Amino acid sequence: MKTITIGRDATNNIVLNDNTVSRNHAHLFISGNGQVVIKDLGSSNGTFVNGNKISEQMLRAGDVVKCGSSFLNWSLAVNEIKVEKSILNPKPGISSQRPHSSFASGTIYIEDIRHEKEKTYFIVKLVFSILIWIFIAGLTILSSVFLAPFIIGIIFGIPFIILLVWLTSLSLKAVLYGNSVKVNVNQFPEIFNVSNEHASKLGLQRTPEIFICNSNGLINAFAIKAFSKRYVILMSSLVDLMLASKSNEALSMIIGHEIGHHAAGHTSFWKNLLLRPASIIPFLGAAYSRACELTADRIGFVLTNNLEESQNALFALALGSERLLQKSNITEFCDQENEIPDFIGFIRKIYSGHPRITKRVIEITSFAKRV
């Protein structure tokens, strides 16, 4: 049996630099048959599995573990132990102690929670896009003699395209700074702190700039990357609606969802450019977009570690009423999915880049139960 020590003290195998984590917080026990058990060592702020405080518990794939306020990517630790055979069966002269690692210092690894459909659709889009790019390159080479002036024009036009993208990003910045309110340490610090915490846990080196815009009743939020700048735009009506919940966790989930788009690479210019040719395939782009939304929902849930408020955040998007939000019945709302006509529901789905909200609540509830 292999034991992995977890805590704030530098002598642990996994060091969590977090004041809410005890010096010697917990142990992971890995048996020879791959069974994993986590045991709390009487820590000050507790060890949690799927939001429930535990003293000792066997772990299953997908379980969300939290020590104090730091998330623990235990599955990665176990996988690394399995891969590094010298750790389990050390050769003479090789230390069996695992080097101190920072992989679990509160960081959430996107690949652990990325939606299965996103992975599938990404592979399909990637294969088709590469084939199309190869076809375009081959056609260009074969036709180079006849299309030489056109190709030269494209080459010389690249700097102008880059200039146009740069000017567009500056224009967006001017609009946001001139007509919206930027969240920072002096402006709505609670939202600023939540955003920083989420970005840190998602492994982003820099927190996206958060802006609140006057939406005139429109309830929405979105993530944008312009040139090298990442933004999260929160509509004022959505913020008001989220804050009408029993706690601020609903807004935290929405912010996590949008920052999650950045962390998952959904706003990457080069990634989207690579996948662009596959957009000619009917409905594939919309299917991939829907799957990305489900991934972002999972990220928002894991960041808040609060299923009820994650459900409320999504439910509020469909409801749109602050007064009625406190009287919501999530089960009844999910049951509405059963009343949607199969054929028409399918047709509407394949044309939409976002899943139905009923489906999103069902998906996040199912995911929470699995983990």
Side-chain angles (χ1 to χ4, degrees):
M1 178 177 289
K2 175 67 180 180
T3 301
I4 299 178
T5 60
I6 306 162
R8 196 174 76 251
D9 193 89
T11 59
N12 288 287
N13 299 123
I14 299 175
V15 180
L16 299 175
N17 296 313
D18 182 347
N19 289 332
T20 65
V21 175
S22 298
R23 292 185 178 277
N24 298 290
H25 195 100
H27 282 171
L28 274 177
F29 300 106
I30 307 172
S31 64
N33 61 4
Q35 192 176 77
V36 183
V37 173
I38 188 166
K39 181 178 181 180
D40 185 82
L41 301 179
S43 60
S44 300
N45 295 298
T47 300
F48 300 83
V49 177
N50 304 326
N52 300 313
K53 190 173 182 179
I54 59 95
S55 57
E56 184 174 338
Q57 183 167 321
M58 184 186 302
L59 297 177
R60 296 175 297 176
D63 279 347
V64 178
V65 177
K66 196 176 182 183
C67 296
S69 61
S70 289
F71 287 93
L72 177 71
N73 196 328
W74 64 272
S75 59
L76 183 60
V78 172
N79 289 335
E80 287 187 1
I81 292 295
K82 290 179 180 178
V83 171
E84 298 173 14
K85 294 182 180 179
S86 60
I87 292 177
L88 293 176
N89 302 294
K91 297 178 182 179
I94 298 179
S95 172
S96 63
Q97 183 173 352
R98 187 178 185 278
H100 299 322
S101 172
S102 61
F103 70 82
S105 57
T107 301
I108 294 172
Y109 291 83
I110 302 297
E111 295 310 315
D112 289 350
I113 56 177
R114 194 183 294 273
H115 198 278
E116 299 75 21
K117 288 185 178 180
E118 182 189 342
K119 297 176 184 178
T120 301
Y121 290 135
F122 172 77
I123 292 173
V124 174
K125 288 194 73 174
L126 182 63
V127 170
F128 274 103
S129 292
I130 289 175
L131 292 175
I132 294 172
W133 280 120
I134 292 174
F135 174 77
I136 293 173
L139 186 64
T140 301
I141 293 172
L142 292 175
S143 308
S144 57
V145 175
F146 305 100
L147 299 177
F150 177 70
I151 296 171
I152 293 173
I154 291 177
I155 294 174
F156 280 97
I158 289 176
F160 294 99
I161 295 173
I162 295 175
L163 178 62
L164 179 62
V165 173
W166 179 63
L167 291 175
T168 301
S169 69
L170 291 181
S171 176
L172 175 62
K173 184 175 182 179
V175 171
L176 289 175
Y177 274 83
N179 299 288
S180 305
V181 179
K182 183 181 179 181
V183 174
N184 56 39
V185 68
N186 298 313
Q187 190 81 271
F188 313 124
E190 298 86 358
I191 298 177
F192 179 73
N193 291 335
V194 166
S195 303
N196 280 340
E197 182 180 351
H198 286 349
S200 176
K201 288 179 179 178
L202 292 172
L204 295 178
Q205 294 183 344
R206 182 175 298 177
T207 304
E209 294 188 0
I210 313 295
F211 285 87
I212 299 178
C213 301
N214 184 350
S215 60
N216 294 312
L218 179 64
I219 299 172
N220 204 355
F222 44 92
I224 299 177
K225 186 175 182 182
F227 221 61
S228 61
K229 281 282 190 180
R230 293 189 177 107
Y231 301 100
V232 168
I233 316 299
L234 303 173
M235 297 300 189
S236 57
S237 296
L238 176 135
V239 174
D240 289 344
L241 188 57
M242 294 299 109
L243 293 178
S245 184
K246 298 175 183 177
S247 70
N248 294 338
E249 291 297 299
L251 179 59
S252 177
M253 188 274 184
I254 294 296
I255 294 173
H257 172 104
E258 300 303 336
I259 295 180
H261 277 306
H262 288 300
H266 300 158
T267 60
S268 170
F269 173 80
W270 295 111
K271 181 179 179 180
N272 288 323
L273 179 63
L274 175 63
L275 299 177
R276 177 61 63 181
S279 298
I280 66 173
I281 301 173
F283 314 124
L284 179 58
Y288 177 68
S289 177
R290 292 194 302 273
C292 289
E293 289 299 318
L294 296 178
T295 293
D297 284 344
R298 288 184 175 185
I299 294 172
F301 159 68
V302 172
L303 284 167
T304 57
N305 200 26
N306 189 322
L307 176 59
E308 181 180 359
E309 288 302 329
S310 295
Q311 292 172 324
N312 285 338
L314 297 173
F315 176 80
L317 296 177
L319 182 65
S321 170
E322 295 181 18
R323 294 187 178 183
L324 295 177
L325 187 59
Q326 301 297 333
K327 303 175 182 179
S328 61
N329 187 320
I330 299 297
T331 302
E332 285 293 319
F333 178 67
C334 291
D335 286 344
Q336 293 175 199
E337 178 69 20
N338 299 324
E339 301 299 321
I340 298 174
D342 292 337
F343 178 71
I344 295 300
F346 173 74
I347 295 298
R348 290 187 61 86
K349 181 183 77 171
I350 63 176
Y351 280 99
S352 176
H354 280 67
R356 292 189 292 268
I357 297 180
T358 47
K359 195 69 174 176
R360 290 173 68 180
V361 176
I362 292 171
E363 282 276 348
I364 201 66
T365 304
S366 175
F367 174 72
K369 289 179 179 179
R370 290 203 307 274
V371 302

